Amino acid sequence: MLLPEGLKALKRVAKLTGLVLEGAYLHLDGGFDSKSNRQAIFNAGMMPNIKENPRHRQATKRGRTRLCNAAIHA
């Protein structure tokens, strides 16, 4: 669970330097693609931009597509 600790450190540094993280995109690779990581990023006030990790699926996943701006992520 490195991401929650990393988010806390990022928010602490942003507060000390006066940076605003609200609405900022956080770009991560597919290794961080999980429901809990996405929720932690949303709770921090940022937008997750994580490419979906297919995890050796035979068919596409059902349901709503995940938020990922491929043009920014590339």
Short mmCIF file of all heavy atoms in Angstrom, two decimals:
data_model
loop_
_atom_site.label_atom_id
_atom_site.label_comp_id
_atom_site.label_asym_id
_atom_site.label_seq_id
_atom_site.Cartn_x
_atom_site.Cartn_y
_atom_site.Cartn_z
N MET A 1 0.82 -1.18 0.00
CA MET A 1 0.00 0.00 0.00
C MET A 1 0.87 1.25 0.00
O MET A 1 0.84 2.06 0.90
CB MET A 1 -0.94 -0.01 1.19
CG MET A 1 -1.90 -1.16 1.23
SD MET A 1 -2.80 -1.18 -0.30
CE MET A 1 -3.67 -2.67 -0.16
N LEU A 2 1.63 1.40 -1.03
CA LEU A 2 2.51 2.55 -1.14
C LEU A 2 1.79 3.81 -1.59
O LEU A 2 2.19 4.92 -1.24
CB LEU A 2 3.65 2.25 -2.11
CG LEU A 2 4.61 1.15 -1.69
CD1 LEU A 2 5.59 0.86 -2.82
CD2 LEU A 2 5.34 1.54 -0.44
N LEU A 3 0.73 3.65 -2.37
CA LEU A 3 0.06 4.83 -2.93
C LEU A 3 -0.55 5.73 -1.86
O LEU A 3 -0.34 6.95 -1.92
CB LEU A 3 -0.99 4.42 -3.96
CG LEU A 3 -1.62 5.60 -4.68
CD1 LEU A 3 -0.59 6.30 -5.56
CD2 LEU A 3 -2.79 5.16 -5.51
N PRO A 4 -1.28 5.23 -0.88
CA PRO A 4 -1.84 6.15 0.13
C PRO A 4 -0.76 6.93 0.89
O PRO A 4 -0.93 8.12 1.14
CB PRO A 4 -2.62 5.23 1.07
CG PRO A 4 -2.98 4.05 0.23
CD PRO A 4 -1.81 3.87 -0.70
N GLU A 5 0.34 6.28 1.19
CA GLU A 5 1.43 6.98 1.87
C GLU A 5 2.05 8.03 0.95
O GLU A 5 2.39 9.13 1.39
CB GLU A 5 2.49 5.99 2.33
CG GLU A 5 2.00 5.02 3.37
CD GLU A 5 2.99 3.90 3.62
OE1 GLU A 5 4.14 3.99 3.19
OE2 GLU A 5 2.59 2.91 4.28
N GLY A 6 2.19 7.69 -0.33
CA GLY A 6 2.73 8.63 -1.30
C GLY A 6 1.82 9.83 -1.50
O GLY A 6 2.30 10.96 -1.67
N LEU A 7 0.51 9.59 -1.50
CA LEU A 7 -0.44 10.70 -1.63
C LEU A 7 -0.36 11.65 -0.44
O LEU A 7 -0.43 12.87 -0.59
CB LEU A 7 -1.87 10.18 -1.79
CG LEU A 7 -2.25 9.68 -3.17
CD1 LEU A 7 -3.64 9.08 -3.14
CD2 LEU A 7 -2.18 10.78 -4.18
N LYS A 8 -0.21 11.08 0.76
CA LYS A 8 -0.07 11.91 1.96
C LYS A 8 1.18 12.78 1.85
O LYS A 8 1.14 13.98 2.16
CB LYS A 8 0.01 11.05 3.22
CG LYS A 8 -1.29 10.43 3.62
CD LYS A 8 -1.10 9.58 4.86
CE LYS A 8 -2.32 8.75 5.15
NZ LYS A 8 -2.11 7.83 6.28
N ALA A 9 2.28 12.19 1.41
CA ALA A 9 3.52 12.95 1.26
C ALA A 9 3.38 14.02 0.18
O ALA A 9 3.84 15.16 0.36
CB ALA A 9 4.68 12.01 0.93
N LEU A 10 2.72 13.70 -0.92
CA LEU A 10 2.51 14.66 -2.00
C LEU A 10 1.67 15.83 -1.52
O LEU A 10 1.98 17.00 -1.80
CB LEU A 10 1.84 13.98 -3.19
CG LEU A 10 1.47 14.87 -4.37
CD1 LEU A 10 2.73 15.45 -5.01
CD2 LEU A 10 0.67 14.10 -5.39
N LYS A 11 0.60 15.55 -0.76
CA LYS A 11 -0.25 16.61 -0.24
C LYS A 11 0.50 17.49 0.76
O LYS A 11 0.34 18.71 0.77
CB LYS A 11 -1.50 16.01 0.39
CG LYS A 11 -2.47 15.47 -0.64
CD LYS A 11 -3.61 14.65 -0.11
CE LYS A 11 -4.28 15.09 1.11
NZ LYS A 11 -5.44 14.27 1.50
N ARG A 12 1.36 16.88 1.55
CA ARG A 12 2.15 17.63 2.53
C ARG A 12 3.12 18.59 1.83
O ARG A 12 3.23 19.76 2.19
CB ARG A 12 2.90 16.67 3.45
CG ARG A 12 3.59 17.31 4.60
CD ARG A 12 4.15 16.33 5.62
NE ARG A 12 4.73 15.13 5.04
CZ ARG A 12 4.24 13.89 5.20
NH1 ARG A 12 3.16 13.70 5.92
NH2 ARG A 12 4.84 12.85 4.66
N VAL A 13 3.81 18.10 0.79
CA VAL A 13 4.75 18.93 0.04
C VAL A 13 3.99 20.04 -0.70
O VAL A 13 4.45 21.19 -0.74
CB VAL A 13 5.57 18.07 -0.94
CG1 VAL A 13 6.36 18.93 -1.90
CG2 VAL A 13 6.50 17.15 -0.18
N ALA A 14 2.84 19.72 -1.26
CA ALA A 14 2.05 20.72 -1.98
C ALA A 14 1.59 21.82 -1.02
O ALA A 14 1.60 23.00 -1.39
CB ALA A 14 0.85 20.06 -2.65
N LYS A 15 1.23 21.44 0.18
CA LYS A 15 0.78 22.44 1.16
C LYS A 15 1.94 23.35 1.55
O LYS A 15 1.78 24.57 1.66
CB LYS A 15 0.22 21.73 2.39
CG LYS A 15 -0.39 22.66 3.40
CD LYS A 15 -1.01 21.89 4.53
CE LYS A 15 -1.65 22.84 5.54
NZ LYS A 15 -2.27 22.10 6.65
N LEU A 16 3.13 22.78 1.74
CA LEU A 16 4.29 23.58 2.13
C LEU A 16 4.74 24.53 1.02
O LEU A 16 5.22 25.63 1.29
CB LEU A 16 5.46 22.66 2.51
CG LEU A 16 5.31 21.88 3.80
CD1 LEU A 16 6.44 20.88 3.96
CD2 LEU A 16 5.25 22.81 4.99
N THR A 17 4.58 24.11 -0.23
CA THR A 17 5.02 24.93 -1.35
C THR A 17 3.92 25.80 -1.94
O THR A 17 4.21 26.63 -2.80
CB THR A 17 5.59 24.04 -2.47
OG1 THR A 17 4.59 23.12 -2.90
CG2 THR A 17 6.82 23.29 -2.00
N GLY A 18 2.69 25.62 -1.50
CA GLY A 18 1.59 26.44 -1.99
C GLY A 18 0.99 25.95 -3.30
O GLY A 18 0.26 26.70 -3.95
N LEU A 19 1.26 24.73 -3.69
CA LEU A 19 0.67 24.18 -4.92
C LEU A 19 -0.76 23.72 -4.65
O LEU A 19 -1.08 23.25 -3.57
CB LEU A 19 1.50 22.99 -5.42
CG LEU A 19 2.90 23.29 -5.91
CD1 LEU A 19 3.62 22.01 -6.25
CD2 LEU A 19 2.84 24.20 -7.12
N VAL A 20 -1.60 23.83 -5.66
CA VAL A 20 -2.98 23.39 -5.56
C VAL A 20 -3.12 22.09 -6.33
O VAL A 20 -2.85 22.05 -7.53
CB VAL A 20 -3.94 24.46 -6.12
CG1 VAL A 20 -5.38 23.97 -6.06
CG2 VAL A 20 -3.77 25.76 -5.38
N LEU A 21 -3.55 21.04 -5.65
CA LEU A 21 -3.70 19.73 -6.29
C LEU A 21 -5.14 19.45 -6.70
O LEU A 21 -5.39 18.47 -7.41
CB LEU A 21 -3.24 18.63 -5.34
CG LEU A 21 -1.76 18.63 -4.98
CD1 LEU A 21 -1.46 17.52 -3.99
CD2 LEU A 21 -0.91 18.48 -6.21
N GLU A 22 -6.10 20.27 -6.28
CA GLU A 22 -7.50 20.03 -6.59
C GLU A 22 -7.71 20.03 -8.10
O GLU A 22 -7.37 20.99 -8.79
CB GLU A 22 -8.38 21.10 -5.95
CG GLU A 22 -8.34 21.11 -4.45
CD GLU A 22 -8.90 19.85 -3.83
OE1 GLU A 22 -9.94 19.36 -4.31
OE2 GLU A 22 -8.29 19.35 -2.88
N GLY A 23 -8.25 18.95 -8.63
CA GLY A 23 -8.55 18.83 -10.05
C GLY A 23 -7.37 18.44 -10.92
O GLY A 23 -7.52 18.32 -12.13
N ALA A 24 -6.20 18.23 -10.33
CA ALA A 24 -5.02 17.85 -11.10
C ALA A 24 -5.10 16.37 -11.48
O ALA A 24 -5.71 15.57 -10.78
CB ALA A 24 -3.75 18.10 -10.29
N TYR A 25 -4.50 16.03 -12.61
CA TYR A 25 -4.44 14.64 -13.04
C TYR A 25 -3.23 13.96 -12.42
O TYR A 25 -2.14 14.55 -12.38
CB TYR A 25 -4.32 14.54 -14.57
CG TYR A 25 -5.62 14.76 -15.28
CD1 TYR A 25 -5.97 16.01 -15.77
CD2 TYR A 25 -6.51 13.71 -15.49
CE1 TYR A 25 -7.16 16.22 -16.42
CE2 TYR A 25 -7.70 13.91 -16.15
CZ TYR A 25 -8.02 15.16 -16.61
OH TYR A 25 -9.20 15.36 -17.27
N LEU A 26 -3.41 12.74 -11.94
CA LEU A 26 -2.30 11.94 -11.43
C LEU A 26 -2.10 10.79 -12.41
O LEU A 26 -2.95 9.92 -12.54
CB LEU A 26 -2.59 11.41 -10.03
CG LEU A 26 -1.49 10.61 -9.38
CD1 LEU A 26 -0.23 11.46 -9.22
CD2 LEU A 26 -1.92 10.10 -8.03
N HIS A 27 -0.98 10.80 -13.13
CA HIS A 27 -0.69 9.80 -14.16
C HIS A 27 0.10 8.65 -13.55
O HIS A 27 1.17 8.86 -12.98
CB HIS A 27 0.13 10.42 -15.29
CG HIS A 27 -0.49 11.63 -15.89
ND1 HIS A 27 -1.52 11.55 -16.79
CD2 HIS A 27 -0.26 12.94 -15.71
CE1 HIS A 27 -1.88 12.76 -17.13
NE2 HIS A 27 -1.13 13.62 -16.49
N LEU A 28 -0.44 7.44 -13.68
CA LEU A 28 0.22 6.24 -13.18
C LEU A 28 0.09 5.15 -14.24
O LEU A 28 -0.80 5.20 -15.08
CB LEU A 28 -0.42 5.77 -11.87
CG LEU A 28 -0.34 6.75 -10.70
CD1 LEU A 28 -1.22 6.29 -9.56
CD2 LEU A 28 1.08 6.93 -10.24
N ASP A 29 0.96 4.15 -14.16
CA ASP A 29 0.86 3.07 -15.13
C ASP A 29 -0.13 2.01 -14.65
O ASP A 29 -0.70 2.11 -13.57
CB ASP A 29 2.24 2.47 -15.43
CG ASP A 29 2.82 1.68 -14.27
OD1 ASP A 29 2.27 1.72 -13.17
OD2 ASP A 29 3.84 1.01 -14.49
N GLY A 30 -0.34 0.99 -15.45
CA GLY A 30 -1.35 -0.03 -15.18
C GLY A 30 -1.11 -0.84 -13.92
O GLY A 30 -2.02 -1.48 -13.42
N GLY A 31 0.08 -0.81 -13.38
CA GLY A 31 0.37 -1.54 -12.14
C GLY A 31 -0.38 -0.98 -10.94
O GLY A 31 -0.55 -1.67 -9.93
N PHE A 32 -0.82 0.27 -11.03
CA PHE A 32 -1.55 0.90 -9.94
C PHE A 32 -3.05 0.88 -10.17
O PHE A 32 -3.80 1.55 -9.46
CB PHE A 32 -1.09 2.35 -9.77
CG PHE A 32 0.30 2.46 -9.23
CD1 PHE A 32 1.38 2.59 -10.09
CD2 PHE A 32 0.54 2.44 -7.87
CE1 PHE A 32 2.66 2.70 -9.61
CE2 PHE A 32 1.82 2.54 -7.37
CZ PHE A 32 2.89 2.66 -8.24
N ASP A 33 -3.51 0.12 -11.16
CA ASP A 33 -4.92 0.08 -11.52
C ASP A 33 -5.69 -0.80 -10.53
O ASP A 33 -5.69 -2.02 -10.63
CB ASP A 33 -5.08 -0.47 -12.95
CG ASP A 33 -6.52 -0.49 -13.39
OD1 ASP A 33 -7.30 0.32 -12.89
OD2 ASP A 33 -6.85 -1.32 -14.26
N SER A 34 -6.31 -0.17 -9.55
CA SER A 34 -7.17 -0.88 -8.61
C SER A 34 -8.24 0.08 -8.11
O SER A 34 -8.08 1.30 -8.16
CB SER A 34 -6.39 -1.44 -7.42
OG SER A 34 -5.99 -0.41 -6.56
N LYS A 35 -9.32 -0.48 -7.64
CA LYS A 35 -10.43 0.33 -7.16
C LYS A 35 -10.01 1.19 -5.96
O LYS A 35 -10.35 2.37 -5.88
CB LYS A 35 -11.60 -0.58 -6.77
CG LYS A 35 -12.86 0.14 -6.44
CD LYS A 35 -13.99 -0.85 -6.19
CE LYS A 35 -15.28 -0.12 -5.90
NZ LYS A 35 -16.39 -1.05 -5.71
N SER A 36 -9.23 0.61 -5.05
CA SER A 36 -8.83 1.36 -3.86
C SER A 36 -7.88 2.50 -4.20
O SER A 36 -7.97 3.59 -3.62
CB SER A 36 -8.19 0.43 -2.83
OG SER A 36 -7.04 -0.18 -3.38
N ASN A 37 -6.97 2.29 -5.16
CA ASN A 37 -6.06 3.36 -5.56
C ASN A 37 -6.82 4.49 -6.24
O ASN A 37 -6.55 5.67 -5.97
CB ASN A 37 -4.98 2.83 -6.49
CG ASN A 37 -3.94 2.02 -5.78
OD1 ASN A 37 -3.84 2.05 -4.55
ND2 ASN A 37 -3.14 1.29 -6.53
N ARG A 38 -7.75 4.15 -7.12
CA ARG A 38 -8.54 5.19 -7.78
C ARG A 38 -9.36 5.98 -6.76
O ARG A 38 -9.47 7.20 -6.83
CB ARG A 38 -9.47 4.59 -8.83
CG ARG A 38 -8.73 4.11 -10.06
CD ARG A 38 -9.69 3.42 -11.04
NE ARG A 38 -8.96 2.96 -12.20
CZ ARG A 38 -8.70 3.71 -13.26
NH1 ARG A 38 -9.12 4.95 -13.31
NH2 ARG A 38 -8.02 3.22 -14.27
N GLN A 39 -9.93 5.29 -5.78
CA GLN A 39 -10.74 5.95 -4.76
C GLN A 39 -9.87 6.88 -3.91
O GLN A 39 -10.28 7.98 -3.57
CB GLN A 39 -11.44 4.92 -3.87
CG GLN A 39 -12.46 5.54 -2.95
CD GLN A 39 -13.60 6.20 -3.69
OE1 GLN A 39 -14.13 5.64 -4.64
NE2 GLN A 39 -13.98 7.39 -3.28
N ALA A 40 -8.66 6.46 -3.58
CA ALA A 40 -7.75 7.30 -2.79
C ALA A 40 -7.39 8.57 -3.55
O ALA A 40 -7.31 9.65 -2.96
CB ALA A 40 -6.49 6.51 -2.43
N ILE A 41 -7.19 8.45 -4.85
CA ILE A 41 -6.86 9.62 -5.67
C ILE A 41 -8.05 10.57 -5.74
O ILE A 41 -7.90 11.79 -5.61
CB ILE A 41 -6.39 9.19 -7.08
CG1 ILE A 41 -5.09 8.39 -6.96
CG2 ILE A 41 -6.21 10.39 -7.99
CD1 ILE A 41 -4.68 7.67 -8.23
N PHE A 42 -9.26 10.02 -5.94
CA PHE A 42 -10.46 10.86 -5.96
C PHE A 42 -10.64 11.55 -4.61
O PHE A 42 -10.98 12.73 -4.55
CB PHE A 42 -11.71 10.03 -6.27
CG PHE A 42 -12.00 9.87 -7.73
CD1 PHE A 42 -12.01 8.62 -8.31
CD2 PHE A 42 -12.26 10.97 -8.53
CE1 PHE A 42 -12.29 8.47 -9.66
CE2 PHE A 42 -12.54 10.83 -9.88
CZ PHE A 42 -12.55 9.58 -10.44
N ASN A 43 -10.42 10.83 -3.52
CA ASN A 43 -10.57 11.41 -2.18
C ASN A 43 -9.56 12.52 -1.92
O ASN A 43 -9.81 13.40 -1.11
CB ASN A 43 -10.46 10.34 -1.11
CG ASN A 43 -11.66 9.41 -1.10
OD1 ASN A 43 -12.70 9.72 -1.66
ND2 ASN A 43 -11.50 8.26 -0.48
N ALA A 44 -8.41 12.47 -2.59
CA ALA A 44 -7.40 13.52 -2.46
C ALA A 44 -7.74 14.73 -3.32
O ALA A 44 -7.02 15.72 -3.30
CB ALA A 44 -6.03 12.98 -2.84
N GLY A 45 -8.84 14.67 -4.08
CA GLY A 45 -9.28 15.80 -4.89
C GLY A 45 -8.64 15.83 -6.27
O GLY A 45 -8.75 16.83 -6.97
N MET A 46 -7.98 14.75 -6.67
CA MET A 46 -7.33 14.70 -7.97
C MET A 46 -8.06 13.72 -8.88
O MET A 46 -8.92 12.97 -8.43
CB MET A 46 -5.87 14.28 -7.80
CG MET A 46 -5.08 15.27 -6.98
SD MET A 46 -3.33 14.92 -6.90
CE MET A 46 -3.31 13.42 -5.96
N MET A 47 -7.70 13.74 -10.15
CA MET A 47 -8.30 12.85 -11.13
C MET A 47 -7.29 11.77 -11.50
O MET A 47 -6.18 12.10 -11.95
CB MET A 47 -8.68 13.62 -12.40
CG MET A 47 -9.67 14.75 -12.16
SD MET A 47 -11.28 14.15 -11.68
CE MET A 47 -11.77 13.36 -13.18
N PRO A 48 -7.63 10.50 -11.33
CA PRO A 48 -6.69 9.44 -11.72
C PRO A 48 -6.65 9.26 -13.23
O PRO A 48 -7.68 9.27 -13.88
CB PRO A 48 -7.25 8.20 -11.03
CG PRO A 48 -8.70 8.47 -10.91
CD PRO A 48 -8.83 9.95 -10.73
N ASN A 49 -5.47 9.14 -13.77
CA ASN A 49 -5.29 8.84 -15.19
C ASN A 49 -4.41 7.59 -15.24
O ASN A 49 -3.20 7.68 -15.35
CB ASN A 49 -4.66 10.01 -15.92
CG ASN A 49 -4.76 9.85 -17.42
OD1 ASN A 49 -5.65 9.18 -17.91
ND2 ASN A 49 -3.84 10.42 -18.15
N ILE A 50 -5.06 6.44 -15.09
CA ILE A 50 -4.36 5.17 -15.01
C ILE A 50 -4.85 4.29 -16.14
O ILE A 50 -6.05 4.04 -16.27
CB ILE A 50 -4.65 4.47 -13.66
CG1 ILE A 50 -4.31 5.40 -12.50
CG2 ILE A 50 -3.86 3.17 -13.56
CD1 ILE A 50 -4.77 4.88 -11.15
N LYS A 51 -3.94 3.83 -16.96
CA LYS A 51 -4.32 2.94 -18.04
C LYS A 51 -4.80 1.62 -17.45
O LYS A 51 -4.18 1.07 -16.54
CB LYS A 51 -3.13 2.70 -18.97
CG LYS A 51 -3.47 1.92 -20.20
CD LYS A 51 -2.30 1.85 -21.15
CE LYS A 51 -2.70 1.08 -22.39
NZ LYS A 51 -1.63 1.02 -23.37
N GLU A 52 -5.91 1.11 -17.97
CA GLU A 52 -6.48 -0.12 -17.44
C GLU A 52 -5.56 -1.30 -17.69
O GLU A 52 -5.04 -1.49 -18.79
CB GLU A 52 -7.85 -0.39 -18.06
CG GLU A 52 -8.55 -1.57 -17.44
CD GLU A 52 -9.98 -1.72 -17.93
OE1 GLU A 52 -10.48 -0.81 -18.59
OE2 GLU A 52 -10.56 -2.77 -17.66
N ASN A 53 -5.34 -2.10 -16.67
CA ASN A 53 -4.52 -3.30 -16.76
C ASN A 53 -5.45 -4.47 -17.09
O ASN A 53 -6.30 -4.84 -16.28
CB ASN A 53 -3.81 -3.54 -15.44
CG ASN A 53 -2.82 -4.67 -15.52
OD1 ASN A 53 -2.76 -5.39 -16.50
ND2 ASN A 53 -2.04 -4.83 -14.47
N PRO A 54 -5.34 -5.08 -18.28
CA PRO A 54 -6.28 -6.13 -18.67
C PRO A 54 -6.12 -7.42 -17.88
O PRO A 54 -7.03 -8.25 -17.86
CB PRO A 54 -5.97 -6.36 -20.15
CG PRO A 54 -4.59 -5.87 -20.33
CD PRO A 54 -4.38 -4.78 -19.33
N ARG A 55 -5.01 -7.66 -17.26
CA ARG A 55 -4.77 -8.83 -16.40
C ARG A 55 -5.15 -10.15 -17.08
O ARG A 55 -5.88 -10.95 -16.55
CB ARG A 55 -5.52 -8.68 -15.09
CG ARG A 55 -4.99 -7.56 -14.23
CD ARG A 55 -5.71 -7.53 -12.89
NE ARG A 55 -5.22 -6.47 -12.06
CZ ARG A 55 -5.70 -5.24 -12.02
NH1 ARG A 55 -6.71 -4.91 -12.82
NH2 ARG A 55 -5.20 -4.34 -11.23
N HIS A 56 -4.68 -10.33 -18.29
CA HIS A 56 -4.87 -11.58 -19.04
C HIS A 56 -6.34 -11.95 -19.22
O HIS A 56 -6.71 -13.11 -19.13
CB HIS A 56 -4.12 -12.73 -18.37
CG HIS A 56 -2.68 -12.45 -18.16
ND1 HIS A 56 -1.79 -12.34 -19.20
CD2 HIS A 56 -1.97 -12.20 -17.04
CE1 HIS A 56 -0.60 -12.07 -18.72
NE2 HIS A 56 -0.68 -11.97 -17.41
N ARG A 57 -7.18 -10.97 -19.47
CA ARG A 57 -8.61 -11.24 -19.69
C ARG A 57 -8.83 -11.80 -21.09
O ARG A 57 -8.18 -11.41 -22.04
CB ARG A 57 -9.41 -9.95 -19.55
CG ARG A 57 -9.45 -9.44 -18.14
CD ARG A 57 -10.46 -8.30 -18.04
NE ARG A 57 -10.25 -7.65 -16.76
CZ ARG A 57 -9.95 -6.37 -16.61
NH1 ARG A 57 -9.86 -5.60 -17.67
NH2 ARG A 57 -9.76 -5.85 -15.44
N GLN A 58 -9.78 -12.69 -21.21
CA GLN A 58 -10.17 -13.23 -22.50
C GLN A 58 -11.17 -12.31 -23.19
O GLN A 58 -11.21 -12.21 -24.40
CB GLN A 58 -10.80 -14.63 -22.33
CG GLN A 58 -9.84 -15.65 -21.78
CD GLN A 58 -8.72 -15.96 -22.75
OE1 GLN A 58 -8.92 -15.96 -23.96
NE2 GLN A 58 -7.52 -16.19 -22.23
N ALA A 59 -12.01 -11.65 -22.40
CA ALA A 59 -13.03 -10.75 -22.95
C ALA A 59 -12.93 -9.40 -22.24
O ALA A 59 -12.32 -9.30 -21.17
CB ALA A 59 -14.42 -11.35 -22.74
N THR A 60 -13.55 -8.38 -22.80
CA THR A 60 -13.51 -7.06 -22.19
C THR A 60 -14.34 -7.05 -20.91
O THR A 60 -15.30 -7.82 -20.76
CB THR A 60 -14.03 -5.99 -23.14
OG1 THR A 60 -15.36 -6.33 -23.50
CG2 THR A 60 -13.16 -5.89 -24.37
N LYS A 61 -13.97 -6.17 -20.01
CA LYS A 61 -14.67 -6.07 -18.73
C LYS A 61 -16.00 -5.35 -18.94
O LYS A 61 -16.08 -4.38 -19.67
CB LYS A 61 -13.80 -5.29 -17.75
CG LYS A 61 -14.34 -5.28 -16.36
CD LYS A 61 -13.34 -4.68 -15.41
CE LYS A 61 -13.91 -4.70 -14.01
NZ LYS A 61 -12.97 -4.20 -13.05
N ARG A 62 -17.04 -5.85 -18.28
CA ARG A 62 -18.36 -5.25 -18.39
C ARG A 62 -18.46 -4.04 -17.49
O ARG A 62 -17.70 -3.87 -16.56
CB ARG A 62 -19.41 -6.27 -17.99
CG ARG A 62 -19.50 -7.44 -18.94
CD ARG A 62 -20.50 -8.44 -18.49
NE ARG A 62 -21.78 -7.81 -18.14
CZ ARG A 62 -22.77 -8.43 -17.55
NH1 ARG A 62 -22.65 -9.68 -17.21
NH2 ARG A 62 -23.88 -7.81 -17.27
N GLY A 63 -19.44 -3.19 -17.77
CA GLY A 63 -19.70 -2.04 -16.91
C GLY A 63 -19.13 -0.76 -17.48
O GLY A 63 -18.67 -0.69 -18.61
N ARG A 64 -19.16 0.26 -16.66
CA ARG A 64 -18.70 1.58 -17.05
C ARG A 64 -17.19 1.57 -17.30
O ARG A 64 -16.45 0.96 -16.55
CB ARG A 64 -19.04 2.58 -15.95
CG ARG A 64 -18.81 4.01 -16.34
CD ARG A 64 -19.26 4.94 -15.26
NE ARG A 64 -18.35 4.79 -14.12
CZ ARG A 64 -18.44 5.48 -13.00
NH1 ARG A 64 -19.42 6.33 -12.84
NH2 ARG A 64 -17.58 5.31 -12.04
N THR A 65 -16.76 2.25 -18.35
CA THR A 65 -15.34 2.31 -18.64
C THR A 65 -14.66 3.22 -17.63
O THR A 65 -15.24 4.18 -17.13
CB THR A 65 -15.06 2.84 -20.06
OG1 THR A 65 -15.64 4.14 -20.17
CG2 THR A 65 -15.64 1.92 -21.10
N ARG A 66 -13.42 2.90 -17.34
CA ARG A 66 -12.67 3.68 -16.37
C ARG A 66 -12.15 4.96 -16.99
O ARG A 66 -11.88 5.02 -18.19
CB ARG A 66 -11.50 2.85 -15.84
CG ARG A 66 -12.00 1.66 -15.08
CD ARG A 66 -10.84 0.88 -14.57
NE ARG A 66 -11.34 -0.28 -13.86
CZ ARG A 66 -10.58 -1.20 -13.34
NH1 ARG A 66 -9.27 -1.12 -13.48
NH2 ARG A 66 -11.07 -2.21 -12.70
N LEU A 67 -11.97 5.96 -16.16
CA LEU A 67 -11.48 7.25 -16.61
C LEU A 67 -10.00 7.15 -16.92
O LEU A 67 -9.19 6.83 -16.06
CB LEU A 67 -11.72 8.30 -15.53
CG LEU A 67 -11.20 9.70 -15.82
CD1 LEU A 67 -11.96 10.29 -17.00
CD2 LEU A 67 -11.34 10.57 -14.61
N CYS A 68 -9.62 7.36 -18.17
CA CYS A 68 -8.23 7.39 -18.58
C CYS A 68 -8.15 8.19 -19.87
O CYS A 68 -8.71 7.79 -20.88
CB CYS A 68 -7.65 6.00 -18.79
SG CYS A 68 -5.94 6.05 -19.34
N ASN A 69 -7.47 9.30 -19.83
CA ASN A 69 -7.28 10.11 -21.02
C ASN A 69 -6.04 9.58 -21.74
O ASN A 69 -4.92 9.88 -21.35
CB ASN A 69 -7.12 11.58 -20.65
CG ASN A 69 -7.14 12.48 -21.85
OD1 ASN A 69 -6.96 12.03 -22.97
ND2 ASN A 69 -7.37 13.76 -21.61
N ALA A 70 -6.26 8.78 -22.76
CA ALA A 70 -5.15 8.13 -23.46
C ALA A 70 -4.23 9.13 -24.14
O ALA A 70 -3.03 8.90 -24.27
CB ALA A 70 -5.70 7.14 -24.49
N ALA A 71 -4.77 10.26 -24.57
CA ALA A 71 -3.93 11.27 -25.25
C ALA A 71 -2.93 11.87 -24.27
O ALA A 71 -1.78 12.13 -24.62
CB ALA A 71 -4.79 12.37 -25.83
N ILE A 72 -3.33 12.07 -23.03
CA ILE A 72 -2.43 12.60 -22.01
C ILE A 72 -1.46 11.52 -21.54
O ILE A 72 -0.29 11.77 -21.29
CB ILE A 72 -3.23 13.15 -20.81
CG1 ILE A 72 -4.03 14.38 -21.24
CG2 ILE A 72 -2.30 13.52 -19.67
CD1 ILE A 72 -4.94 14.91 -20.16
N HIS A 73 -1.97 10.29 -21.43
CA HIS A 73 -1.19 9.20 -20.85
C HIS A 73 -0.08 8.71 -21.78
O HIS A 73 0.92 8.19 -21.32
CB HIS A 73 -2.10 8.04 -20.50
CG HIS A 73 -1.55 7.13 -19.46
ND1 HIS A 73 -0.26 6.69 -19.47
CD2 HIS A 73 -2.10 6.61 -18.34
CE1 HIS A 73 -0.05 5.93 -18.43
NE2 HIS A 73 -1.15 5.87 -17.74
N ALA A 74 -0.25 8.84 -23.07
CA ALA A 74 0.71 8.31 -24.03
C ALA A 74 2.01 9.01 -23.85
O ALA A 74 3.04 8.60 -23.66
CB ALA A 74 0.23 8.51 -25.44
#
